[in-house]
Every structure is written in C-alpha cells, then in structure tokens.
Amino acid sequence: MLELDLVITGGTYFDGTGAPGVVTNVGVRDGRVVVVSPAPLAIGAATKVVEAAGQWVMPGFVDTHTHYDAELQVAPGLNESVRHGVTTVLVGNCSLSTVYSTPLDIADLFSRVEALPRPHVLAALEGAKTWSTPQGWVDALEQLPLGPHVASFLGHSDARAAVMGIGRSTDPDQKATKGEQAEIERRLEEALDAGFLGISTMTNPWDKLDGDRYRSRSLPSTYSSWKEFRGLSRVLRRRGRVLQGVPNLNKKYDIGFYLATATGLFRKPLKVSLLAAADTKAEPWVQGIFAPLAFIANRLGRGRFTWQHLPTTFRVWADGIDLVVFEEFGSGREALHLREEMGRNELLNDEAYRRWFRRDFDKRFSPRVWHRDFDDAEITESPDTQLIGMMIGQVARDRDLHPVDCYLDLVVEHGTKLRWKTNIANTRPEIQDKLINRAGITIGFSDAGAHLRNMAFYNFGIRLLNRVHQAQSKDKPFMTVEKAVFKLTGELGEFYGIDAGRIAVGDRADIVVVDPAGLSDAVDDYHEALMPEFGNMSRMVNRNDAAVAATIVTGEVVFERGVFADGYGRTLGTGRFLRAGEGRGTVAPVRRLGLEVAQ
C-alpha cells in the first residue's frame, strides 16, 4: 500500500451525512480520504499525523453567505474563516459580485451596503480586475493562492449595472428594455456555463450605493420588475441552479414571490435560499411564520425553499451612527448619506432634523429590524470613560433627555469614538433551539468579510457546536452532535449542489478537528485584529483556537492549534473554485511558490 500523506488518529468521526460518530482513524492520500478504519493505520516517514483522541473529526464547515468578493483579491487565505474550521465559502451574495462591472461601479455597489472601506475595495479591484466574463473571473481566481474553496453566485445588481449602466439601473423611472433583459439572462447563462451556483437578488430598498455619482440610491436589483425576476427564475429552473434572495425587510410582501417561484406544482421546483429566519427583538412574533411558510412551499407546493439562519445571537457594534440598521428609516438614511463628520454634526444638531428622527424612532407599528430601544444599547468605548458600560437609555434618563436627543448629543460630541453594541435577534435560547431544528431552515447569513467594524460571525459553526455540547452536558439536549455537523456541512453541500460537506472514502479531504474541551462561552467573546490589506483597519474577529485543533483543506493541514502553515494564503494555496454539479472528490493540485505540485 502506498504511504499515506496524512493520518488523523483516534477521533470521533462524523462523515457529514447525519450518521452517529464513531471512534476511528482517517487516512488521506493525494488530497482525498482513502481509508476510514478502527484499526491503526501505517505511518510512513513522510506521513503527517494529527492526534485526535477525545476530539471530533468532521467535514470542514460550509459558509454559504459571505461577502469576501473583494478581500479574495488581496488576502486569498481568508484566514478569519479558515481558523474556525470553514473550508468552503460562497461569494456573490445579496445581488453583489465582481464579475461584470467596472472596479468603480463595484466599489459603489459593495462599500456602503457591506460597510467596507471604499478606497480599499476600489484599490483591490483596480489592481486585480483583468476579467470581464464569468470564466475570466474563475481563471483569475484559480491563479490566487486560495486557502478555502470558493463557490459563487452571479450578483443580479452586478449584471444589471453592467448591462444598463449603473445610472439607469438605479433610476426608478427606467426599466430594463426587452433587449436588456435578454442580455441579463444571457449573462446569467454564461455564468452558469462557468460553474456558478445561480444568481443572487435583492429587493430590500435600504441597501444603498456608495460614492459620489449616485450615492444613496438603492441597489440595481431592487428596481427590477417582477417580469425580470421571473425571467431569471426560468433560466435557473431549466438549469437546475439556485436563486438566493433578500426580501424587502420593511414590507416583506415579496417573500410571496420567493415562496411561489420555489414551488414545483406542474413544473420543475426551483431551489431558493432566502434571508433570514431570525427571532428579532423588534418583531418577536415573526419567528413563528418561518417553518409554516417553508412547509407550504415545500410540502404543499412541492418546492425547494429554505431560509438562512444564523445559529447564534445577532449582536452588532456601531461607531457613532455608522450602522446599517439606520438605513431602515428616512432620518437615519439622511445621516448616513453624509460622509463627513462636520456635515453630519450640523445635521444632527438641527432641531427640525431631530424632530424627524424622533418621529421615526417613536413609530410603534412601523415594520422594522432594529428594535429602537436605547436601553439595549451599551456603550463600550468613549472618550468620556464614565459612560463605558452604561446603556444610552440610562444616560438619557440621567440627563433628563429624550433618548434620541441624548444619543445624537453623544454622536455630535464623540463621533465615531462613541462605540456601542446592541442585540438585534436570537436572544431567546428556547426559540433558537426550535428554529435550528425546523424543516426548511438551513444555516447561513454569517456575512463573513462584511461589516468589518460591526459584527463577526466567522466562527458560527463553533458557536453552534458549543451550544449543542453545553446543552448535552446539562442533560437538556436540543440537537445531537451528528445533526449539528450535518447542518453545518452535508446539508449545505447537497442543497447548493457543490462537492463539499462529506468526508467518506473518496471525498476530498476538507476536514476540521474540533476539541470539545475547548468549547465554552469564550467562543462568543469580542476581539479585534488589524487587517493590513485594508490599510491596517481594526476589524472585529473571533478567537477560539482552543476549540479548533486543526483545519485541513485538500489534505493539507493549513491551521493547527492557533498556527497557520508556512506561506498559507501567500505561497501556499490549497483551495479551488467549486463548480456547481461537478463530480465527487474533485481535487486540484496544491499550489506552492506559484508552482503546481502534482499530488
């Protein structure tokens, strides 16, 4: 027998199918799992050994909702995901991709919506974009020293802006002509031919453009007619691909379109993945509708509909007024429209503006995502250190002010040096436990690579495993470990039609080794780290190196006990572009020093 490249010894092995774990040894050669056996495996002179006794060996996590599109070009290792066991990421979400549009248009499409530093997004694309087609994007991607594997949607806003021009595509008085709609569909076909998963769309109007040309217009996809959306669905249905969508988070009526287009009555069903199944503090009753709606679409309508769900508390941080939730009402959008602090302060001090903000804030029955409760708004950083740890609502009572006036005073006084946090959703453990177990609800919405100062859910998989492990330790289980692994891996690979999420014999060896002894409440702790690729900005990150013993991509141990492999993401590339529907166990050569090394 040929010598094994890697042996993982004595761990509890979960294959990603939902089967119970078994204590066994795993052998890897040429990037694939070649043996799974309770018997000891031969260790050769060059065999790498990962000791996994008492630990869980499972497929690498699949992160289905990221916005790494620009970061890939400057930091292709995607370290912040891989260090938490993610071996496959999906990009091109929320109608945004970097395929067809110019670097300037891409920077305007991405930066404000995803809270990314526009100058660095623009620089990343101007320095790298040599492509103008989906296949060109794939070819360029595969020249990078990728860490994890990458699959992609085509962004509808990207394609629409490229066909119509970003100005016309964001003008409410302009609709795509018959010829333009045909060209958008042709470009979708071109992307599907290159192996893209499908298309991502957006109907939420409070996601806005950045830049100076069309600042504060909504994304191009939001201006599409239902006829245009139906045309895209027909292409996807015929090709057996996926529609990813974000509904109008204020009115929510267009959820009906996504449910209906997924159904398979008298036709082929369409896979639809929609944001987001969450137990929001603003509308706690809404969590009860997700499972019934999925049941109607899938069981009664014979469809393939899923909600995306983040399996942890959705907590966000803000610097001053820089937080996407303010986009959901007019006065908040007006403040975010102004980029310069001096201009903002003049606005925030204006009494007429304050009255407007108070009216928006006090509307009791308006649809919302943010609860607008300053008693759940804790100050974490401030030049006035006496404020740290206080709720803004309490500061308002101490100062005998309306909460809005108190908040705006603090922003005017301290600007972005006033940092505060609030809980948006998933704060009730018993509801979380029910949601994650519902049919039609899959794991997603980490938003990895976006909102760099606002939130960090790179370790969503570890957080779910921690919840599962702690519940079992207290004899109050809500989910088995094997089901949690399935939901983080195999279920997602199967739904999106990619070769990921399983590690039986013959599968590509994308593996994470999790040490349950390292699972604790510390996985939720707050951390920051500098991001050299984006001008040394300090981004929010996660750190749970005691929980992730090893991350393995294509049979290479790229991260082990807090340390990345030499050259990882720079001269060592282990990932590849995952094409929709390609065969099981596809392996590309690992790249070292820019050279392909045959395996």
Side-chain angles (χ1 to χ4, degrees), residues 507-524:
D507 286 318
R508 191 175 52 248
D510 301 327
I511 300 170
V512 58
V513 181
V514 174
D515 187 348
L519 295 174
S520 70
D521 290 340
V523 304
D524 297 318

Side-chain angles (χ1 to χ4, degrees), residues 251-369:
K251 297 181 179 178
K252 303 179 179 67
Y253 61 86
D254 55 325
I255 289 173
F257 164 76
Y258 289 105
L259 291 165
T261 201
T263 59
L265 292 173
F266 310 110
R267 63 183 182 180
K268 184 179 180 180
L270 174 63
K271 292 181 179 179
V272 175
S273 175
L274 193 65
L275 269 63
D279 176 28
T280 66
K281 290 192 67 178
E283 297 177 317
W285 62 270
V286 171
Q287 56 82 24
I289 72 172
F290 298 118
L293 290 177
F295 176 85
I296 291 170
N298 296 333
R299 295 293 296 276
L300 302 182
R302 300 179 183 177
R304 296 296 306 276
F305 178 89
T306 67
W307 297 98
Q308 292 187 26
H309 170 69
L310 182 69
T312 188
T313 299
F314 198 95
R315 181 177 297 120
V316 297
W317 275 253
D319 295 316
I321 202 170
D322 288 333
L323 187 63
V324 69
V325 297
F326 289 108
E327 301 274 20
E328 72 179 358
F329 54 92
S331 56
R333 289 192 294 272
E334 185 72 13
L336 293 178
H337 177 75
L338 300 173
R339 287 177 293 183
E340 299 300 326
E341 189 170 66
M342 184 176 297
R344 277 190 184 177
N345 286 350
E346 183 177 346
L347 177 70
L348 301 185
N349 270 322
D350 181 77
E351 180 53 34
Y353 173 79
R354 289 187 171 218
R355 287 197 300 270
W356 180 21
F357 201 113
R358 287 194 294 268
R359 285 196 304 271
D360 282 341
F361 185 85
D362 289 335
K363 287 178 182 175
R364 297 186 59 187
F365 301 110
S366 61
R368 61 185 66 187
V369 172

Side-chain angles (χ1 to χ4, degrees), residues 93 98 109 180 187 240 435 494 498 515 520 574 596:
N93 287 284
T98 60
L109 288 167
E180 287 169 336
R187 294 191 183 208
L435 275 176
E494 186 278 328
I498 53 176
D515 187 348
S520 70
T574 50
E596 292 189 352

